[in-house]
Amino acid sequence: MKAYTPVTLRFAILNILVLIIASGCSVTRGIRQDQAIVRKVVIKGVDKEFKDLAFNYVDKEQQPNNWLNLQIYYTFSKKGKRNIGEAPAILDSNLVEFSRDQIQKFLVNKGYLKAKVVDSIAIKKRKATLYFTAQEGPLFHVRNYRDSIFDPKVQQIYRDTRKNYTHVKPGSRYDTDSLAYDRDQFFQVMKQHGYYDFYRQYITYLPDTSWGKSVADVVIMIDNPPGKKEHPIYTMNNTLITIARSNGRTNGKADTIQVDSQFRFVDFSGRFKPRTVTDYVFQKKGDKYSLETQMLTTSRLSELNVFRNVPNPTYEKLPDSTNRLNSKIDIVPLKRMTDRLEAEFLFNGGRYGYNLGNTFTNRNIFKQAAALQLKLNWSILFDNGSGTKGIQNQDFRVGASVIYPRLLLPFSFPNLAKFGVPHTTFSSNFQLFYQKDLVERRSFINSVTYDFFETFRKQHSITPISIEFSNGTIDPLARNLLLSQNRYSYVYLIGRTTFTSATQYTFQYNAIELNSFKNFIYFRGNLDIGGNFLSLLSNLAGTKRDSLGQRTIFGYTFSQYAKTEVDLRIYRSLGGEKQFIFRINPGVGVPYGNSNQLIFEKNFYAGGANDMRAWLPRNLGPGQFNRASYGTGAVADTTRARLKFLDQFGEVKIVANAEYRYKLADNFFGSKLKGAFFMDAGNVWRLHKEADNPNGEFRFNNIWQGTAIGIGTGLRFDLGFFIFRLDAAFKFKDPQFQGSDQWVFIKHFDEVFGNGPFKQKYLLDNKTGVDPSSGKIIGDGYSFMQLNFGIGLPF
């Protein structure tokens, strides 16, 4: 893999800036001399409440271009031969007239029944400004509102439910959009109450307007079906479920089963058991027809992630007079096997690394839509800038999971699929962590997890049992060095063998909104408690203690701890695809009972592409800890080299992020080009004062001094199904320094893209040795900028 130098990075960033600046070229360079481009639309005389909405009624081809989209079109589209960017909005007087008419109709629909709109055009240097001037006239209001419904049952339903949705009442604006909304809402209500044959056309409004008084009397009329005295109510009868082959065909031999008095199951693929589908059909025999249960059935069958095409059920009326419906569900399965590759890349000076992941999925094992997932993940960090050329550390993970789309419990439990498909996950995972010249750690984790939805917005995840076994092998030279310095805690942390059994609970709120541009709050909270059952068992059995006085199980010490973490985000829409997000992510882990330290894997670390983006992972904190505190000399240099990325951890974590996201271009080589500005603040801290991490302990009166701040900007290439992300983050406040020296971006701005006395001193204070051939100091240089490349948004 190629290593990128700071000079190369600066050159790449300069090219991006030049491209953006160059986009300010003339907006008329791509049109003919006899043409004009629309650059501005001015709407006058329209009430402030509707001014922005009125703009939407200007024809799309007469709306001003986004300047960046336009320059991308001029530069890359080859005069429209490629679908890149946004073609110029050429002035067309016919479309201007059409826009004027649409704005006038919009105002009439909003209650300005006498509204008139005129248009005019001003052209200067082939740039056109469109003017739409409205005379709204009086605003009409509803004076009286009543209903005229011929079916008494329908009338009762209407009067009972109208208050839940209506926008029309005496004194309100006479708004045809509101009338249409009310009609559609009542149509939905009727479909929930068994009225399969009810149509919107049965609902009409009769307005009587008094022009002199600017008021309207409104009557809603609901007719009966032709030749009938009432609307019929339908109930569900039999259901035929047909599963085609993956190619959509229904030929050849099929597995045919009469499941019960309602369901007949025909499977041409031969891959499914009836229960896989029938568990998620909510339209039961004898129940009233309901659009809600119809949509719920379609939605849940789609969420099983084993079917490619789940259309709405079709219905057939029985030929008798019982008003019953037979339903039919036709499904096409997805291919059974899928494979997904993911990658992240980061680089900082001479250090660079990547994270590769691969997930293989068999979507349907045991014919029950249970998914088998095999995951491989390999993270590796190279360090060619501090004299330790080659691989610095590696993290290899492999795991297998079997995920059932239901709760597998030893007792009966209500069907919780109304708000989302519940899952039971059996997983087994192995992790191997390697740190050069220091340690190899291995861990095995086996768990059972139940996921279910309480409502559409509330999701619960319970892991009643998670069994973890981990051990480490320390390099003999490193072990002797640490012991000679009385760093027993590090030897114990990374080298011990431990066993624990834990229970975990996670609650999520509003995950359903994460890809929207609404105003909402997202919350995720996790609680992880381990070792209590093993402590009870060991005390009852009176098991032996080790040399440190800790109880053992099966000859191994076990860990006791409690750990919790919260992720709270506030999303605010700023119009269009502009969005502001604030996130606070605190956490704390406390060892107790049989443990005086958290398990190595349970500690918090800061830095990385989704956290404190101006720092590498495991390269920040704890608190104001500075690695120069190891001292000077060969022993200190060697300690710094061996403990790199392992000595900056904590039991307390507080991270906050603020990010502004916006759209740059609609079509940039097949993707939406989006941008972001962000600020990250936070750190990790030790729970108590530790000699190994001076100034690293958590104290309420020292939070600010121990807080790091990073700022940056980024580009997002949105392809719809996933997002490529490139972020450039800069250290703004670095807590490893003291006082005003923490404000590194301001105090040493002249060295952000260059070298100087600050960076030279930092290298000297953090050196890890001296090159014997050249006498050159080697070690960790200071880098202000961190580039992160990844897939998906950071949060």
Side-chain angles (χ1 to χ4, degrees):
M1 182 177 289
K2 181 180 178 182
Y4 291 84
T5 66
V7 174
T8 307
L9 298 179
R10 290 196 297 270
F11 182 72
I13 293 172
L14 182 61
N15 282 336
I16 294 173
L17 293 175
V18 168
L19 177 62
I20 293 175
I21 294 172
S23 66
C25 296
S26 171
V27 295
T28 61
R29 62 189 176 99
I31 64 175
R32 301 195 310 264
Q33 290 296 321
D34 61 339
Q35 293 178 324
I37 184 172
V38 178
R39 295 304 298 155
K40 191 175 182 180
V41 173
V42 178
I43 298 177
K44 299 179 180 179
V46 175
D47 187 273
K48 184 178 180 181
E49 180 182 358
F50 300 117
K51 197 165 187 177
D52 291 339
L53 291 174
F55 178 81
N56 294 330
Y57 288 86
V58 177
D59 189 88
K60 297 297 182 184
E61 294 184 16
Q62 299 298 286
Q63 293 182 8
N65 299 98
N66 174 287
W67 57 270
L68 182 56
N69 275 330
L70 183 61
Q71 296 304 327
I72 291 173
Y73 177 87
Y74 285 152
T75 305
F76 299 109
S77 72
K78 292 189 175 181
K79 297 183 178 181
K81 293 180 180 179
R82 293 179 180 174
N83 185 25
I84 300 174
E86 185 179 292
I90 304 299
L91 177 65
D92 185 328
S93 58
N94 291 325
L95 293 179
V96 174
E97 167 60 22
F98 175 77
S99 301
R100 181 208 63 76
D101 185 59
Q102 292 301 305
I103 295 173
Q104 182 170 297
K105 288 179 179 178
F106 165 71
L107 293 175
V108 171
N109 289 339
K110 287 301 175 185
Y112 298 98
L113 303 185
K114 298 181 180 180
K116 299 293 181 183
V117 178
V118 296
D119 63 77
S120 60
I121 303 170
I123 301 175
K124 184 178 181 180
K125 296 181 179 180
R126 293 192 295 157
K127 297 176 185 177
T129 300
L130 309 184
Y131 294 92
F132 298 96
T133 303
Q135 291 182 347
E136 291 182 327
L139 175 62
F140 281 68
H141 290 84
V142 176
R143 180 171 58 183
N144 296 309
Y145 183 88
R146 64 183 180 88
D147 62 68
S148 177
I149 303 172
F150 297 99
D151 186 333
K153 293 181 181 178
V154 174
Q155 184 182 58
Q156 190 62 47
I157 293 174
Y158 177 75
R159 291 180 176 180
D160 288 344
T161 62
R162 181 176 177 270
K163 60 182 179 297
N164 298 327
Y165 56 80
T166 187
H167 287 177
V168 182
K169 55 187 176 181
S172 66
R173 176 197 306 273
Y174 177 76
D175 186 338
T176 58
D177 289 336
S178 295
L179 295 176
Y181 174 83
D182 277 21
R183 179 173 64 177
D184 188 67
Q185 289 300 303
F186 185 63
F187 168 78
Q188 301 290 334
V189 168
M190 291 292 284
K191 290 292 187 179
Q192 312 303 355
H193 284 75
Y195 292 91
Y196 169 75
D197 257 349
F198 189 85
Y199 300 102
R200 290 179 177 85
Q201 289 82 348
Y202 290 138
I203 305 174
T204 56
Y205 291 97
L206 298 178
D208 180 13
T209 55
S210 175
W211 290 90
K213 298 181 180 180
S214 302
V215 294
D217 297 328
V218 180
V219 179
I220 179 173
M221 297 187 64
I222 301 180
D223 294 324
N224 285 337
K228 294 184 179 181
K229 295 182 179 180
E230 62 181 8
H231 290 267
I233 297 176
Y234 287 84
T235 58
M236 300 305 302
N237 191 46
N238 296 329
T239 301
L240 172 63
I241 299 169
T242 303
I243 302 180
R245 303 180 188 277
S246 294
N247 58 12
R249 297 178 181 176
T250 54
N251 55 354
K253 185 178 179 181
D255 294 336
T256 303
I257 301 173
Q258 184 67 44
V259 180
D260 53 28
S261 63
Q262 175 183 357
F263 294 106
R264 183 174 176 81
F265 182 79
V266 181
D267 182 9
F268 289 92
S269 72
R271 289 166 45 187
F272 298 92
K273 292 183 178 180
R275 184 185 174 187
T276 304
V277 180
T278 59
D279 277 359
Y280 297 101
V281 177
F282 294 88
Q283 295 177 312
K284 301 301 182 183
K285 190 170 185 175
D287 290 349
K288 288 183 181 179
Y289 164 80
S290 170
L291 182 63
E292 181 180 2
T293 55
Q294 171 189 308
M295 296 173 63
L296 189 60
T297 297
T298 303
S299 178
R300 295 298 167 266
L301 290 176
S302 298
E303 287 176 22
L304 290 175
N305 198 31
V306 291
F307 301 120
R308 172 165 55 91
N309 183 23
V310 186
N312 288 324
T314 58
Y315 301 93
E316 180 183 353
K317 302 174 187 176
L318 268 66
D320 54 28
S321 60
T322 57
N323 292 335
R324 289 182 295 167
L325 297 171
N326 284 335
S327 62
K328 184 180 179 183
I329 302 174
D330 296 311
I331 311 175
V332 178
L334 288 164
K335 291 183 179 180
R336 183 179 298 180
M337 312 293 184
T338 63
D339 197 67
R340 185 179 76 248
L341 181 67
E342 297 176 333
E344 287 186 341
F345 183 65
L346 54 87
F347 41 97
N348 186 329
R351 289 173 290 190
Y352 60 96
Y354 54 79
N355 178 36
L356 296 176
N358 189 81
T359 301
F360 167 81
T361 303
N362 182 331
R363 287 194 174 97
N364 185 36
I365 62 174
F366 311 128
K367 293 187 175 184
Q368 298 182 48
L372 170 66
Q373 285 191 345
L374 301 176
K375 291 187 176 183
L376 293 173
N377 188 272
W378 182 32
S379 298
I380 186 168
L381 182 67
F382 296 87
D383 193 342
N384 292 338
S386 57
T388 57
K389 295 183 181 297
I391 296 174
Q392 182 65 36
N393 61 46
Q394 297 186 72
D395 190 352
F396 176 77
R397 306 183 187 202
V398 59
S401 300
V402 176
I403 308 168
Y404 283 87
R406 58 185 60 87
L407 298 183
L408 300 180
L409 296 166
F411 49 86
S412 60
F413 203 78
N415 187 350
L416 298 177
K418 181 178 180 181
F419 302 106
V421 175
H423 293 97
T424 301
T425 303
F426 301 90
S427 65
S428 183
N429 298 276
F430 169 74
Q431 178 182 4
L432 173 64
F433 176 81
Y434 164 77
Q435 174 81 22
K436 184 178 181 181
D437 297 328
L438 182 61
V439 70
E440 281 188 12
R441 280 194 61 81
R442 295 159 290 276
S443 64
F444 303 86
I445 303 176
N446 298 278
S447 64
V448 179
T449 300
Y450 298 100
D451 300 295
F452 60 92
F453 289 84
E454 178 186 348
T455 68
F456 287 115
R457 299 183 183 277
K458 298 178 182 179
Q459 183 179 4
H460 303 269
S461 178
I462 300 173
T463 302
I465 183 167
S466 174
I467 300 173
E468 180 174 353
F469 177 83
S470 59
N471 73 328
T473 303
I474 302 180
D475 181 277
L477 294 177
R479 182 184 184 90
N480 293 336
L481 175 66
L482 293 173
L483 291 176
S484 69
Q485 297 177 320
N486 296 321
R487 298 184 185 276
Y488 301 106
S489 61
Y490 277 118
V491 175
Y492 186 61
L493 175 69
I494 63 178
R496 66 171 168 166
T497 298
T498 187
F499 175 71
T500 194
S501 172
T503 299
Q504 298 156 359
Y505 169 72
T506 301
F507 172 74
Q508 283 192 86
Y509 178 75
N510 258 350
I512 193 174
E513 302 287 4
L514 284 178
N515 293 321
S516 73
F517 293 97
K518 301 178 181 178
N519 294 329
F520 66 95
I521 294 176
Y522 169 81
F523 176 85
R524 185 179 188 275
N526 174 265
L527 179 64
D528 183 358
I529 299 176
N532 290 345
F533 175 75
L534 296 179
S535 176
L536 176 63
L537 188 64
S538 66
N539 286 326
L540 291 176
T543 59
K544 294 181 179 180
R545 297 180 182 271
D546 65 5
S547 58
L548 297 177
Q550 296 179 333
R551 290 279 190 183
T552 61
I553 291 286
F554 308 123
Y556 299 106
T557 58
F558 61 88
S559 296
Q560 275 185 280
Y561 66 90
K563 180 182 178 182
T564 185
E565 187 174 2
V566 167
D567 184 350
L568 175 64
R569 310 176 199 171
I570 300 173
Y571 290 79
R572 286 292 177 266
S573 173
L574 302 178
E577 297 186 35
K578 298 189 292 292
Q579 192 177 39
F580 176 79
I581 305 99
F582 174 77
R583 177 176 78 157
I584 181 73
N585 180 207
V588 61
V590 180
Y592 63 91
N594 207 49
S595 301
N596 55 20
Q597 276 188 318
L598 285 178
I599 304 172
F600 174 77
E601 289 79 11
K602 296 292 182 181
N603 283 289
F604 293 106
Y605 296 87
N610 302 319
D611 194 87
M612 298 293 297
R613 285 166 277 189
W615 281 264
L616 283 169
R618 301 172 179 262
N619 202 23
L620 172 62
Q624 292 184 264
F625 171 65
N626 190 319
R627 302 188 83 237
S629 64
Y630 285 123
T632 59
V635 174
D637 295 347
T638 304
T639 302
R640 261 191 295 271
R642 292 184 184 275
L643 292 180
K644 186 187 301 182
F645 304 112
L646 286 183
D647 55 359
Q648 296 182 269
F649 65 92
E651 297 89 355
V652 179
K653 170 188 177 181
I654 303 176
V655 170
N657 311 89
E659 183 163 302
Y660 168 65
R661 298 170 184 167
Y662 57 96
K663 183 176 67 176
L664 286 169
D666 281 313
N667 187 0
F668 183 74
F669 292 93
S671 70
K672 280 189 178 182
L673 179 61
K674 299 181 178 180
F677 293 103
F678 56 83
M679 175 181 290
D680 306 322
N683 207 337
V684 294
W685 288 265
R686 299 303 304 272
L687 195 60
H688 306 291
K689 190 171 184 177
E690 303 287 349
D692 293 331
N693 298 114
N695 298 317
E697 72 277 8
F698 179 81
R699 288 182 286 122
F700 284 103
N701 62 358
N702 200 34
I703 292 178
W704 174 245
Q705 289 86 341
T707 296
I709 298 177
I711 58 174
T713 186
L715 295 174
R716 286 89 166 92
F717 303 89
D718 187 352
L719 298 176
F721 47 94
F722 63 84
I723 296 174
F724 288 110
R725 171 167 56 95
L726 176 64
D727 286 333
F730 296 85
K731 296 180 177 69
F732 193 81
K733 177 179 180 287
D734 195 333
Q736 66 177 304
F737 304 112
Q738 299 295 322
S740 63
D741 290 334
Q742 291 187 344
W743 301 93
V744 291
F745 192 81
I746 297 174
K747 191 163 187 177
H748 305 290
F749 183 78
D750 57 330
E751 297 186 41
V752 171
F753 292 107
N755 293 312
F758 168 70
K759 288 186 175 179
Q760 293 171 3
K761 183 179 185 304
Y762 185 87
L763 177 61
L764 182 64
D765 291 341
N766 290 270
K767 70 185 183 74
T768 56
V770 177
D771 189 333
S773 60
S774 64
K776 182 181 178 181
I777 294 175
I778 55 178
D780 296 323
Y782 196 84
S783 177
F784 283 89
M785 185 174 72
Q786 171 67 40
L787 290 178
N788 299 296
F789 174 78
I791 296 176
L793 295 172
F795 49 84

